[in-house]
Amino acid sequence: MRDLSCGDTRVFLEFEVRRVACRRCGKVKRERLEFLADNPLYTKRFAFYVGRRCRSATIKDVARELNLDWHTVKTLELQYMAAQLAKAGKPAPQAIGIDEISIRKGHTYRIVVSDLIRGRPIWFGGQDRKASSMAQFYEWLGENKVKRIRLAVMDMWKPFRTVAKAQAPWASILFDKFHVLRHLGTALDDVRKSEYARLSGKERSYIKGQKYTLLSRRENLDLDGRKALKTLLAANKRLNTAYLLKESFGQLWSYEREAYARRFFEHWRESLKWQRLAPYEKFAQMIDRHWDGIAAYCKPENKVSLGFVEGLNNKIRVIQRRAYGLRDEEYLRLKILTCMLPVL
């Protein structure tokens, strides 16, 4: 069997394994050796080395590097990820983050639930993003552990909110800041489109090709991007107003009292008057309807990392690109559930 290499030299171990006739069942059984992987042609520590390499490289690359078959590498990695989950144990979260991911074309979704305090995904499942799929998570977690949940962070998708209120009515519901700001970014882009359609000639040329410059935060732009943004905002008063309103709205999550947060929002909405920014007015109405799920962040006990769910989504997209064409959903599930766990 193959073990870890010594320098640039592969190491193979050869030994005899005892076979014993069981008097109870009459079958012949082989002795179990703890240092063997599930695939008995490799040691467990070699399997774990393969698993660690697969955290940062594709199966194909690891197979080429170690001169192994593609399916062998995948089998060894599956054992490694199963060992990671076994060591982590079954979670008992107090604050959960809920989001959906698309696993293939055709609006095929799966739900991902994360433990926001421990900073790790804990559940991947469902058949879609409907209430029945969301309810499967609470059933999997169990009644006793569901009672420990005090906070659920999610986007404004109604089925997620409905099931959370039904299964854990005592928990606070908090709408994810990044999903809210994404709606505001969409409103800003709608203003850009309307201005592009309204104008012509040189005034239109300032707007053309500047979508992502306008949607980006100023500090995230390079020097050329900042120059283009400055020129655009100086040339179009309505886009300048919309951009400043978008940039200032993030202040809403800095307040520690709901009354102050509400006062800020009312002033922000008041500044929309006479600006002819219909997408922003529609956005403000949406915030007003979902105010409880935004104001919940003002409570000290609800101060959790709102960026974790968004960061996890980016990590999942990297995993999906690296495993492009792979149709094994169980493998994808294990990759997602172990991507934040410590290495073995």
Side-chain angles (χ1 to χ4, degrees), residues 322-341:
R322 188 183 296 159
Y324 180 77
L326 190 64
R327 295 292 180 261
D328 189 341
E329 192 170 316
E330 175 63 15
Y331 176 80
L332 177 62
R333 184 185 75 88
L334 290 174
K335 289 290 284 187
I336 292 172
L337 295 182
T338 59
C339 66
M340 298 292 188
L341 292 179

Side-chain angles (χ1 to χ4, degrees), residues 54-120:
C54 287
R55 287 173 68 94
S56 58
T58 64
I59 294 178
K60 183 178 180 180
D61 290 339
V62 175
R64 185 186 299 114
E65 174 189 333
L66 300 176
N67 196 24
L68 293 171
D69 182 72
W70 187 94
H71 295 89
T72 299
V73 173
K74 182 183 175 184
T75 300
L76 297 178
E77 186 190 6
L78 287 172
Q79 180 180 356
Y80 174 79
M81 293 189 291
Q84 281 184 295
L85 288 177
K87 185 176 181 180
K90 190 171 182 179
Q94 297 181 37
I96 60 173
I98 305 170
D99 203 1
E100 76 277 354
I101 64 167
S102 174
I103 62 170
R104 65 179 67 92
K105 293 181 179 179
H107 300 286
T108 304
Y109 295 100
R110 296 294 180 268
I111 300 171
V112 179
V113 182
S114 306
D115 185 336
L116 297 181
I117 295 178
R118 296 187 64 186
R120 51 164 290 211

Side-chain angles (χ1 to χ4, degrees), residues 4 14 35 52 58 129 150 196 200 220 231 244 307:
L4 285 178
E14 184 176 347
F35 64 88
R52 289 192 296 271
T58 64
R129 54 176 183 164
R150 59 172 177 79
Y196 186 81
S200 61
N220 295 334
T231 303
L244 293 176

